[in-house]
Protein backbone atom coordinates (compact mmCIF):
# COMPACT_ATOMS: atom_id res chain seq x y z
CA UNK A 1 0.00 0.00 0.00
CA UNK A 2 1.24 3.48 -0.90
CA UNK A 3 0.61 6.36 1.42
CA UNK A 4 -1.86 8.84 0.03
CA UNK A 5 -0.32 12.00 -1.53
CA UNK A 6 -1.70 14.03 1.39
CA UNK A 7 0.18 11.88 3.90
CA UNK A 8 3.34 11.99 1.80
CA UNK A 9 3.20 15.78 1.58
CA UNK A 10 2.71 16.19 5.33
CA UNK A 11 5.42 13.68 6.21
CA UNK A 12 7.86 15.45 3.91
CA UNK A 13 6.95 18.85 5.38
CA UNK A 14 7.33 17.66 8.98
CA UNK A 15 10.68 16.11 7.99
CA UNK A 16 11.98 19.60 7.22
CA UNK A 17 11.92 20.43 10.94
CA UNK A 18 15.30 20.10 12.66
CA UNK A 19 15.96 16.61 14.01
CA UNK A 20 12.76 15.16 12.51
CA UNK A 21 13.11 12.13 10.24
CA UNK A 22 10.46 10.19 8.37
CA UNK A 23 9.52 7.98 11.34
CA UNK A 24 9.02 10.94 13.67
CA UNK A 25 7.11 12.83 10.98
CA UNK A 26 4.75 9.85 10.62
CA UNK A 27 4.34 9.71 14.37
CA UNK A 28 3.36 13.38 14.48
CA UNK A 29 0.94 12.87 11.62
CA UNK A 30 -0.78 9.84 13.12
CA UNK A 31 -1.02 11.57 16.45
CA UNK A 32 -2.77 14.52 14.81
CA UNK A 33 -4.99 12.21 12.76
CA UNK A 34 -6.20 10.32 15.81
CA UNK A 35 -6.57 13.36 18.08
CA UNK A 36 -9.06 16.18 18.37
CA UNK A 37 -9.25 17.75 14.87
CA UNK A 38 -9.01 21.17 16.54
CA UNK A 39 -5.29 20.61 17.28
CA UNK A 40 -4.37 20.15 13.61
CA UNK A 41 -6.65 23.00 12.61
CA UNK A 42 -5.23 25.42 15.20
CA UNK A 43 -1.66 24.48 14.35
CA UNK A 44 -2.45 24.89 10.66
CA UNK A 45 -3.97 28.32 11.16
CA UNK A 46 -1.14 29.59 13.38
CA UNK A 47 1.54 28.35 10.97
CA UNK A 48 -0.24 29.84 8.00
CA UNK A 49 0.01 33.33 9.49
CA UNK A 50 3.41 32.87 11.17
CA UNK A 51 5.43 35.01 8.79
CA UNK A 52 2.73 37.64 8.54
CA UNK A 53 2.57 38.19 12.28
CA UNK A 54 6.22 37.72 13.21
CA UNK A 55 9.14 39.22 11.28
CA UNK A 56 12.78 40.01 12.00
CA UNK A 57 13.13 43.44 13.59
CA UNK A 58 14.52 45.81 10.95
CA UNK A 59 16.83 47.35 13.53
CA UNK A 60 18.31 44.38 15.39
CA UNK A 61 17.07 41.11 13.83
CA UNK A 62 15.15 40.00 16.92
CA UNK A 63 11.69 38.52 16.32
CA UNK A 64 9.19 41.36 16.16
CA UNK A 65 5.43 41.29 16.13
CA UNK A 66 4.05 43.15 13.19
CA UNK A 67 1.49 45.76 14.10
CA UNK A 68 -1.57 46.14 11.91
CA UNK A 69 -0.05 49.19 10.25
CA UNK A 70 3.28 47.49 9.60
CA UNK A 71 1.82 44.48 7.82
CA UNK A 72 1.96 46.52 4.64
CA UNK A 73 5.51 45.56 3.74
CA UNK A 74 6.77 49.14 3.38
CA UNK A 75 6.54 50.00 7.11
CA UNK A 76 9.64 49.07 9.17
CA UNK A 77 9.07 46.43 11.85
CA UNK A 78 10.67 47.30 15.22
CA UNK A 79 10.84 44.78 18.09
CA UNK A 80 9.79 45.45 21.68
CA UNK A 81 13.41 45.74 22.90
CA UNK A 82 14.37 48.35 20.30
CA UNK A 83 11.20 50.26 21.14
CA UNK A 84 11.77 50.15 24.91
CA UNK A 85 12.98 53.63 26.04
CA UNK A 86 14.36 52.20 29.31
CA UNK A 87 16.99 50.25 27.38
CA UNK A 88 20.43 51.86 27.15
CA UNK A 89 21.00 52.61 23.45
CA UNK A 90 24.75 53.09 24.05
CA UNK A 91 25.26 49.47 25.08
CA UNK A 92 24.95 46.94 22.24
CA UNK A 93 25.11 43.17 22.63
CA UNK A 94 26.05 41.32 19.44
CA UNK A 95 24.71 37.74 19.21
CA UNK A 96 24.78 35.04 16.56
CA UNK A 97 21.18 33.89 16.64
CA UNK A 98 17.82 35.00 18.04
CA UNK A 99 17.94 31.98 20.38
CA UNK A 100 21.02 33.46 22.06
CA UNK A 101 19.28 36.80 22.50
CA UNK A 102 16.35 35.08 24.19
CA UNK A 103 18.67 33.17 26.49
CA UNK A 104 20.39 36.42 27.58
CA UNK A 105 16.98 38.04 28.09
CA UNK A 106 15.86 35.14 30.26
CA UNK A 107 18.88 35.83 32.49
CA UNK A 108 17.80 39.50 32.67
CA UNK A 109 21.49 40.43 32.60
CA UNK A 110 21.52 42.97 29.76
CA UNK A 111 20.20 46.51 30.07
CA UNK A 112 21.23 47.53 26.54
CA UNK A 113 20.03 46.56 23.10
CA UNK A 114 20.96 43.82 20.65
CA UNK A 115 22.26 43.15 17.19
CA UNK A 116 21.65 39.69 15.71
CA UNK A 117 24.28 38.66 13.16
CA UNK A 118 22.14 35.78 11.92
CA UNK A 119 25.19 33.57 11.39
CA UNK A 120 28.76 33.06 12.55
CA UNK A 121 31.98 33.10 10.59
CA UNK A 122 32.51 29.49 9.51
CA UNK A 123 35.23 28.58 7.01
CA UNK A 124 34.03 24.97 7.13
CA UNK A 125 30.53 25.95 5.99
CA UNK A 126 31.88 28.53 3.56
CA UNK A 127 30.60 31.53 5.52
CA UNK A 128 33.11 34.36 5.19
CA UNK A 129 33.25 37.96 6.49
CA UNK A 130 31.29 39.13 3.43
CA UNK A 131 28.31 37.03 4.59
CA UNK A 132 28.02 38.88 7.91
CA UNK A 133 26.05 42.15 8.18
CA UNK A 134 29.13 44.16 9.21
CA UNK A 135 28.10 47.34 7.40
CA UNK A 136 24.68 47.31 9.02
CA UNK A 137 26.36 46.81 12.40
CA UNK A 138 28.73 49.75 11.82
CA UNK A 139 25.80 51.93 10.73
CA UNK A 140 23.88 50.95 13.87
CA UNK A 141 26.87 51.89 16.08
CA UNK A 142 27.12 55.31 14.41
CA UNK A 143 23.43 55.95 14.47
CA UNK A 144 22.83 55.05 18.13
CA UNK A 145 26.14 56.42 19.39
CA UNK A 146 27.03 53.03 20.85
CA UNK A 147 29.86 53.20 23.44
CA UNK A 148 30.25 49.54 24.39
CA UNK A 149 29.79 46.38 22.38
CA UNK A 150 29.42 43.10 24.25
CA UNK A 151 30.33 40.31 21.85
CA UNK A 152 28.12 37.41 22.97
CA UNK A 153 28.89 34.89 20.24
CA UNK A 154 29.32 31.38 21.68
CA UNK A 155 32.74 30.29 23.03
CA UNK A 156 33.16 27.87 20.10
CA UNK A 157 35.67 27.94 17.22
CA UNK A 158 33.20 29.80 14.96
CA UNK A 159 32.06 32.08 17.78
CA UNK A 160 35.62 33.05 18.71
CA UNK A 161 36.54 33.62 15.07
CA UNK A 162 33.51 35.88 14.69
CA UNK A 163 34.51 37.81 17.84
CA UNK A 164 38.03 38.36 16.48
CA UNK A 165 36.63 39.48 13.13
CA UNK A 166 34.37 42.03 14.84
CA UNK A 167 37.33 43.32 16.90
CA UNK A 168 39.35 43.84 13.71
CA UNK A 169 36.55 45.30 11.61
CA UNK A 170 35.37 47.75 14.26
CA UNK A 171 38.88 48.73 15.47
CA UNK A 172 38.64 52.16 13.87
CA UNK A 173 35.40 53.05 15.66
CA UNK A 174 35.39 54.82 19.05
CA UNK A 175 33.76 51.93 20.86
CA UNK A 176 34.82 49.70 23.75
CA UNK A 177 34.56 46.00 22.89
CA UNK A 178 34.08 43.31 25.54
CA UNK A 179 33.58 39.57 25.35
CA UNK A 180 31.31 37.47 27.58
CA UNK A 181 33.20 35.37 30.17
CA UNK A 182 33.90 31.72 29.47
CA UNK A 183 34.59 29.22 32.26
CA UNK A 184 33.15 26.45 34.40
CA UNK A 185 29.32 26.89 34.37
CA UNK A 186 27.27 27.46 37.52
CA UNK A 187 26.76 24.13 39.28
CA UNK A 188 29.36 22.55 36.99
CA UNK A 189 31.71 19.97 38.38
CA UNK A 190 35.42 20.78 37.99
CA UNK A 191 36.10 17.07 37.62
CA UNK A 192 34.10 16.93 34.40
CA UNK A 193 35.09 20.29 32.87
CA UNK A 194 36.87 19.85 29.55
CA UNK A 195 40.48 21.11 29.32
CA UNK A 196 39.59 24.16 27.18
CA UNK A 197 36.86 25.30 29.56
CA UNK A 198 39.19 24.71 32.51
CA UNK A 199 41.99 26.64 30.79
CA UNK A 200 39.62 29.56 30.22
CA UNK A 201 38.41 29.45 33.81
CA UNK A 202 41.99 29.78 35.03
CA UNK A 203 43.06 32.38 32.44
CA UNK A 204 39.95 34.47 33.10
CA UNK A 205 40.32 34.42 36.89
CA UNK A 206 39.30 37.49 38.85
CA UNK A 207 40.50 38.84 42.20
CA UNK A 208 38.34 37.74 45.11
CA UNK B 1 11.30 39.68 27.85
CA UNK B 2 8.10 37.71 27.43
CA UNK B 3 7.48 35.73 24.28
CA UNK B 4 4.75 37.20 22.14
CA UNK B 5 1.34 35.49 22.43
CA UNK B 6 1.77 34.15 18.90
CA UNK B 7 5.00 32.38 19.87
CA UNK B 8 3.42 31.08 23.07
CA UNK B 9 0.45 29.67 21.17
CA UNK B 10 2.64 27.92 18.60
CA UNK B 11 5.03 26.52 21.21
CA UNK B 12 2.12 25.13 23.17
CA UNK B 13 0.57 23.60 20.03
CA UNK B 14 3.85 22.00 18.94
CA UNK B 15 4.26 20.68 22.49
CA UNK B 16 1.10 18.60 21.99
CA UNK B 17 2.96 16.38 19.50
CA UNK B 18 4.26 13.12 20.98
CA UNK B 19 7.75 13.45 22.46
CA UNK B 20 7.91 17.20 21.90
CA UNK B 21 8.65 19.40 24.90
CA UNK B 22 8.93 23.17 25.17
CA UNK B 23 12.58 23.28 24.03
CA UNK B 24 11.93 21.20 20.92
CA UNK B 25 8.78 23.20 20.16
CA UNK B 26 10.83 26.42 20.30
CA UNK B 27 13.44 24.87 18.05
CA UNK B 28 10.80 23.98 15.46
CA UNK B 29 9.34 27.46 15.68
CA UNK B 30 12.66 29.28 15.27
CA UNK B 31 13.57 27.02 12.40
CA UNK B 32 10.32 27.91 10.62
CA UNK B 33 10.74 31.60 11.44
CA UNK B 34 14.23 31.74 9.95
CA UNK B 35 13.48 29.54 6.91
CA UNK B 36 11.66 30.08 3.66
CA UNK B 37 8.15 31.33 4.64
CA UNK B 38 6.70 28.82 2.16
CA UNK B 39 7.51 25.92 4.50
CA UNK B 40 5.39 27.30 7.35
CA UNK B 41 2.66 28.30 4.93
CA UNK B 42 2.54 24.87 3.23
CA UNK B 43 2.58 23.04 6.55
CA UNK B 44 -0.15 25.34 7.82
CA UNK B 45 -2.35 24.76 4.80
CA UNK B 46 -1.89 20.97 4.82
CA UNK B 47 -2.63 20.73 8.54
CA UNK B 48 -5.68 22.94 8.22
CA UNK B 49 -7.29 20.49 5.81
CA UNK B 50 -5.89 17.31 7.39
CA UNK B 51 -9.13 16.09 8.92
CA UNK B 52 -11.18 17.12 5.91
CA UNK B 53 -9.09 15.09 3.49
CA UNK B 54 -8.23 12.08 5.66
CA UNK B 55 -10.71 10.26 7.87
CA UNK B 56 -10.94 6.83 9.49
CA UNK B 57 -12.41 4.29 7.07
CA UNK B 58 -15.98 3.57 8.18
CA UNK B 59 -15.47 -0.11 7.49
CA UNK B 60 -12.06 -0.91 9.01
CA UNK B 61 -10.66 2.19 10.75
CA UNK B 62 -7.68 2.56 8.37
CA UNK B 63 -6.90 6.07 7.17
CA UNK B 64 -9.04 6.83 4.14
CA UNK B 65 -8.90 9.70 1.72
CA UNK B 66 -12.22 11.43 1.43
CA UNK B 67 -13.48 11.81 -2.10
CA UNK B 68 -15.10 15.06 -3.09
CA UNK B 69 -18.56 13.49 -2.74
CA UNK B 70 -17.80 12.03 0.68
CA UNK B 71 -16.72 15.30 2.26
CA UNK B 72 -20.35 15.93 3.06
CA UNK B 73 -20.34 14.07 6.36
CA UNK B 74 -23.27 11.79 5.51
CA UNK B 75 -21.42 9.69 2.87
CA UNK B 76 -19.44 6.75 4.26
CA UNK B 77 -15.66 6.96 3.78
CA UNK B 78 -14.10 3.70 2.56
CA UNK B 79 -10.32 3.19 2.42
CA UNK B 80 -8.37 1.89 -0.58
CA UNK B 81 -7.86 -1.57 0.99
CA UNK B 82 -11.56 -2.10 1.67
CA UNK B 83 -12.33 -0.95 -1.88
CA UNK B 84 -9.71 -3.22 -3.50
CA UNK B 85 -11.58 -6.18 -5.12
CA UNK B 86 -8.37 -8.28 -5.26
CA UNK B 87 -8.29 -8.44 -1.47
CA UNK B 88 -9.74 -11.59 0.06
CA UNK B 89 -12.81 -10.48 2.07
CA UNK B 90 -12.88 -13.78 3.96
CA UNK B 91 -9.51 -13.17 5.63
CA UNK B 92 -9.56 -10.43 8.28
CA UNK B 93 -6.51 -9.15 10.14
CA UNK B 94 -7.32 -7.45 13.46
CA UNK B 95 -4.77 -4.85 14.58
CA UNK B 96 -4.55 -2.41 17.47
CA UNK B 97 -3.53 0.76 15.65
CA UNK B 98 -3.32 2.10 12.11
CA UNK B 99 0.50 2.11 12.48
CA UNK B 100 0.42 -1.67 12.83
CA UNK B 101 -1.70 -2.02 9.71
CA UNK B 102 0.82 0.07 7.76
CA UNK B 103 3.69 -2.03 9.04
CA UNK B 104 1.98 -5.24 7.89
CA UNK B 105 1.22 -3.62 4.50
CA UNK B 106 4.88 -2.65 4.11
CA UNK B 107 5.77 -6.32 4.53
CA UNK B 108 3.21 -7.17 1.81
CA UNK B 109 2.35 -10.27 3.81
CA UNK B 110 -1.43 -9.95 4.01
CA UNK B 111 -3.81 -10.60 1.12
CA UNK B 112 -6.96 -10.04 3.18
CA UNK B 113 -8.53 -7.01 4.79
CA UNK B 114 -8.19 -5.31 8.16
CA UNK B 115 -10.05 -4.26 11.24
CA UNK B 116 -8.47 -1.59 13.46
CA UNK B 117 -9.50 -1.85 17.11
CA UNK B 118 -8.13 1.60 17.90
CA UNK B 119 -6.95 0.51 21.34
CA UNK B 120 -5.92 -2.56 23.32
CA UNK B 121 -7.36 -4.01 26.48
CA UNK B 122 -5.43 -2.35 29.31
CA UNK B 123 -6.52 -2.77 32.91
CA UNK B 124 -3.71 -0.39 33.96
CA UNK B 125 -5.10 2.40 31.78
CA UNK B 126 -8.68 1.51 32.63
CA UNK B 127 -9.53 0.21 29.15
CA UNK B 128 -11.94 -2.71 29.51
CA UNK B 129 -13.75 -4.98 27.02
CA UNK B 130 -16.61 -2.46 26.77
CA UNK B 131 -14.18 0.10 25.29
CA UNK B 132 -13.31 -2.13 22.32
CA UNK B 133 -15.51 -2.18 19.17
CA UNK B 134 -16.39 -5.86 19.59
CA UNK B 135 -19.94 -5.52 18.23
CA UNK B 136 -18.72 -3.74 15.11
CA UNK B 137 -16.12 -6.50 14.62
CA UNK B 138 -18.77 -9.22 14.97
CA UNK B 139 -21.01 -7.39 12.48
CA UNK B 140 -18.11 -7.11 10.04
CA UNK B 141 -17.42 -10.87 10.32
CA UNK B 142 -21.09 -11.68 9.60
CA UNK B 143 -21.40 -9.19 6.78
CA UNK B 144 -18.24 -10.21 4.88
CA UNK B 145 -18.52 -13.94 5.63
CA UNK B 146 -15.05 -13.89 7.21
CA UNK B 147 -13.54 -17.38 7.58
CA UNK B 148 -10.20 -16.61 9.24
CA UNK B 149 -9.22 -13.89 11.68
CA UNK B 150 -5.51 -13.18 12.15
CA UNK B 151 -5.10 -11.47 15.50
CA UNK B 152 -2.11 -9.15 14.95
CA UNK B 153 -2.12 -7.29 18.27
CA UNK B 154 1.43 -6.87 19.60
CA UNK B 155 3.02 -9.65 21.68
CA UNK B 156 2.84 -7.48 24.82
CA UNK B 157 0.77 -7.95 27.99
CA UNK B 158 -2.03 -5.74 26.63
CA UNK B 159 -1.80 -7.26 23.15
CA UNK B 160 -2.01 -10.82 24.47
CA UNK B 161 -4.90 -9.92 26.77
CA UNK B 162 -6.73 -8.42 23.79
CA UNK B 163 -6.07 -11.55 21.73
CA UNK B 164 -7.50 -13.74 24.49
CA UNK B 165 -10.53 -11.48 24.82
CA UNK B 166 -11.19 -11.72 21.07
CA UNK B 167 -10.87 -15.53 21.22
CA UNK B 168 -13.45 -15.67 24.01
CA UNK B 169 -15.86 -13.13 22.55
CA UNK B 170 -15.86 -14.61 19.06
CA UNK B 171 -15.86 -18.25 20.19
CA UNK B 172 -19.49 -18.74 19.10
CA UNK B 173 -18.82 -17.59 15.53
CA UNK B 174 -17.87 -20.02 12.75
CA UNK B 175 -14.47 -18.48 12.22
CA UNK B 176 -10.89 -19.79 12.51
CA UNK B 177 -8.74 -17.62 14.74
CA UNK B 178 -4.96 -17.43 14.38
CA UNK B 179 -2.30 -15.37 16.12
CA UNK B 180 0.83 -13.90 14.50
CA UNK B 181 4.04 -15.74 15.43
CA UNK B 182 6.28 -14.40 18.17
CA UNK B 183 9.95 -15.31 18.42
CA UNK B 184 13.50 -14.14 17.78
CA UNK B 185 13.30 -11.43 15.07
CA UNK B 186 15.07 -11.71 11.72
CA UNK B 187 18.74 -10.82 12.20
CA UNK B 188 18.28 -10.98 15.97
CA UNK B 189 21.04 -12.38 18.12
CA UNK B 190 20.02 -15.31 20.34
CA UNK B 191 22.48 -14.08 22.95
CA UNK B 192 20.50 -10.86 23.45
CA UNK B 193 16.97 -12.26 23.14
CA UNK B 194 14.97 -11.70 26.32
CA UNK B 195 13.73 -14.83 28.18
CA UNK B 196 10.07 -14.36 27.14
CA UNK B 197 10.94 -14.02 23.45
CA UNK B 198 13.26 -17.01 23.70
CA UNK B 199 10.56 -19.03 25.46
CA UNK B 200 8.12 -18.18 22.66
CA UNK B 201 10.67 -19.06 19.99
CA UNK B 202 11.08 -22.52 21.53
CA UNK B 203 7.38 -23.09 22.25
CA UNK B 204 6.41 -21.97 18.74
CA UNK B 205 9.02 -24.16 16.98
CA UNK B 206 8.08 -25.66 13.62
CA UNK B 207 9.30 -28.80 11.86
CA UNK B 208 12.16 -28.19 9.44
Amino acid sequence: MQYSPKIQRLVSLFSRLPGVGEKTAQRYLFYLLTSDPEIARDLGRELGTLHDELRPCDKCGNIAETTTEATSKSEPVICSICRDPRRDPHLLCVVGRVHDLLSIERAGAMRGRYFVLGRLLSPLEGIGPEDLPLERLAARIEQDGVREIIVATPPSVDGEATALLLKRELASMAVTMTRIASGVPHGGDLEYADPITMGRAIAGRRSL
Side-chain angles (χ1 to χ4, degrees), chain A:
Chain A
M1 187 184 116
Q2 277 287 306
Y3 282 135
S4 83
K6 173 84 178 177
I7 295 185
Q8 285 173 19
R9 282 199 303 275
L10 264 165
V11 166
S12 111
L13 280 166
F14 270 132
S15 304
R16 301 287 293 267
L17 295 175
V20 176
E22 202 184 311
K23 280 268 165 193
T24 306
Q26 283 177 18
R27 205 163 145 231
Y28 290 173
L29 180 59
F30 288 126
Y31 170 79
L32 290 172
L33 265 172
T34 50
S35 305
D36 182 359
E38 276 310 306
I39 301 176
R41 227 163 272 149
D42 286 352
L43 191 55
R45 198 182 44 238
E46 294 288 350
L47 287 174
T49 57
L50 178 65
H51 286 270
D52 302 319
E53 293 182 24
L54 298 176
R55 274 207 242 142
C57 170
D58 284 321
K59 232 175 133 151
C60 76
N62 182 20
I63 298 165
E65 279 174 276
T66 57
T67 51
T68 36
E69 309 95 72
T71 38
S72 66
K73 297 226 169 172
S74 52
E75 287 280 326
V77 182
I78 307 294
C79 76
S80 56
I81 295 177
C82 285
R83 270 191 276 111
D84 187 345
R86 289 163 305 178
R87 294 277 183 157
D88 184 354
H90 308 302
L91 179 62
L92 192 70
C93 182
V94 177
V95 294
R97 304 175 310 162
V98 175
H99 308 50
D100 304 330
L101 182 160
L102 295 171
S103 172
I104 296 171
E105 281 299 296
R106 266 197 297 278
M110 248 289 291
R111 50 182 186 81
R113 291 185 177 157
Y114 292 90
F115 188 87
V116 181
L117 294 171
R119 59 217 312 188
L120 299 174
L121 202 60
S122 175
L124 273 178
E125 289 178 37
I127 300 172
E130 66 283 1
D131 298 313
L132 298 182
L134 296 174
E135 281 176 33
R136 266 184 48 228
L137 175 56
R140 171 80 186 265
I141 293 167
E142 285 271 334
Q143 192 186 318
D144 285 11
V146 172
R147 292 195 209 110
E148 179 180 349
I149 289 183
I150 303 176
V151 182
T153 55
S156 62
V157 173
D158 291 355
E160 296 293 359
T162 308
L164 288 176
L165 173 76
L166 292 179
K167 187 181 155 75
R168 202 185 63 201
E169 289 292 319
L170 304 175
S172 61
M173 302 191 87
V175 67
T176 309
M177 294 191 70
T178 55
R179 179 96 178 91
I180 53 164
S182 176
V184 182
H186 172 73
D189 203 321
L190 295 198
E191 188 180 348
Y192 301 116
D194 64 284
I196 295 175
T197 299
M198 192 46 100
R200 282 184 179 151
I202 300 288
R205 68 193 179 279
R206 296 162 66 173
S207 65
L208 263 173

